Amino acid sequence: MDAYDEDSRAPHGPDGSTGARRPEDPERREDPDGREDPDGREDPEHQEVPTRDASGDPDGSPPPGPPPPPTAPRTGVAALSPRYQIGAAVALAVVAVAACVHLAMVFLSLAPANTVTKQHGKAIQEWVYPEFEQNWKLFAPNPLQQNIAVQVRAEVRMKDGSLRTTGWNDLSARDGAAIDGSLLPSHTEQNELRRAWDFFAATHAADNRSVGLRGSLSEQYVRRIVVMRLYREDATSREGVIQRVQVRSCTTNVQPPKWSREKVSDKPVYRLLPWWTVAADEAEGGVR
């Protein structure tokens, strides 16, 4: 039978036989589900997806691994060369040892008498006093209820050769004014002069006679502080050379509250020290 003969079973259209078949278009394939593009292309949803190998790549090659993380730059001591790292380690070790020794000395100076303090008491005192002396009066049964002001005056050799005596300089009042209203007051302004005077009072009797081995040390400590303060704060002292200084304390009792029946004197009590000759290095401004 000829390829263009009619198929007896084909349906007939209105214009006659429609059963003739055209040769199949090789580019046109029928979709088993009937989803064929009018232009002869397959539905994108039904296109075949190429199979991948277990490695994840169509051609079977293993996928590239993640890039290595960037190396962070070294900082701090690790950034130093080995020689400087050794130097830094030695410096830290020295600081740590010094801190431990200092804490041990302060602890032994406050601890009750024991074998170590009896055997090495002099070395402990030389380390602690006067700069690192501790004071526990705040926790005493009778806390300090007095205001003690340290005042000083000086004999100054002027440039014309004359001697001039300054008035009394209230160093404690100046420290108090600097501290008042300050959020971060200086430790020196709070404690240097006050602790120096406490040190002097603890090593001297009421007649200002030294009663301990540290009496001369306390005098030198107070004298150096007041000379330094005069050169810094007194106009007359800055114009000449200080020859002698005299220190006194002014003690005033803290008045009790109004509801208390306790009566205390409100008159100041002065303790006047003798004139101290200023050493040559101090007089020339060595402590300015």
Side-chain angles (χ1 to χ4, degrees), residues 173-193:
R174 294 179 181 178
D175 286 346
I179 294 170
D180 189 21
S182 176
L183 296 178
L184 298 172
S186 167
H187 180 75
T188 301
E189 293 170 343
Q190 293 182 84
N191 298 316
E192 182 184 55
L193 182 62

Side-chain angles (χ1 to χ4, degrees), residues 50-53 55-61:
T51 59
R52 293 180 178 271
D53 191 77
S55 61
D57 197 295
D59 58 359
S61 61

Side-chain angles (χ1 to χ4, degrees), residues 89-113:
V90 172
L92 291 175
V94 171
V95 172
V97 171
C100 293
V101 171
H102 175 70
L103 292 176
M105 290 292 191
V106 174
F107 172 78
L108 291 173
S109 69
L110 300 174

Side-chain angles (χ1 to χ4, degrees), residues 5 18 25 32 40 44 55 64 70-71 102 139 168 175 181 205 232 269:
D5 289 343
T18 60
D25 188 353
S55 61
T71 303
H102 175 70
F139 306 101
W168 288 103
D175 286 346
R232 188 175 62 197
V269 177

Side-chain angles (χ1 to χ4, degrees), residues 265-279:
S265 175
D266 58 354
K267 294 181 179 181
V269 177
Y270 293 94
R271 177 177 180 178
L272 185 63
L273 304 186
W275 284 93
W276 288 335
T277 301
V278 179

Side-chain angles (χ1 to χ4, degrees), residues 11 66 73 93 152:
V152 62

Side-chain angles (χ1 to χ4, degrees), residues 141-255:
N142 294 317
L144 189 64
Q145 298 180 1
Q146 296 174 329
N147 289 324
I148 302 177
V150 179
Q151 302 170 353
V152 62
R153 63 178 178 178
E155 281 187 356
V156 184
R157 178 76 64 182
M158 306 306 293
K159 295 180 180 180
D160 58 1
S162 62
L163 280 175
R164 184 182 300 180
T165 302
T166 67
W168 288 103
N169 289 266
D170 195 335
L171 305 182
S172 297
R174 294 179 181 178
D175 286 346
I179 294 170
D180 189 21
S182 176
L183 296 178
L184 298 172
S186 167
H187 180 75
T188 301
E189 293 170 343
Q190 293 182 84
N191 298 316
E192 182 184 55
L193 182 62
R194 179 180 61 86
R195 296 298 300 119
W197 182 255
D198 287 346
F199 181 32
F200 177 86
T203 56
H204 287 75
D207 58 356
N208 301 323
R209 181 176 52 86
S210 176
V211 294
L213 298 177
R214 296 177 294 154
S216 59
L217 176 62
S218 65
E219 292 179 6
Q220 182 182 8
Y221 188 44
V222 172
R223 185 174 63 253
R224 284 182 174 272
I225 290 176
V226 298
V227 169
M228 178 180 62
R229 295 283 297 270
L230 285 171
Y231 274 128
R232 188 175 62 197
E233 301 171 4
D234 183 68
T236 303
S237 300
R238 288 197 299 266
E239 294 177 0
V241 178
I242 298 176
Q243 303 296 307
R244 297 194 303 168
V245 293
Q246 187 175 31
V247 181
R248 73 177 183 182
S249 66
C250 177
T251 303
T252 307
N253 294 320
V254 176
Q255 295 300 308

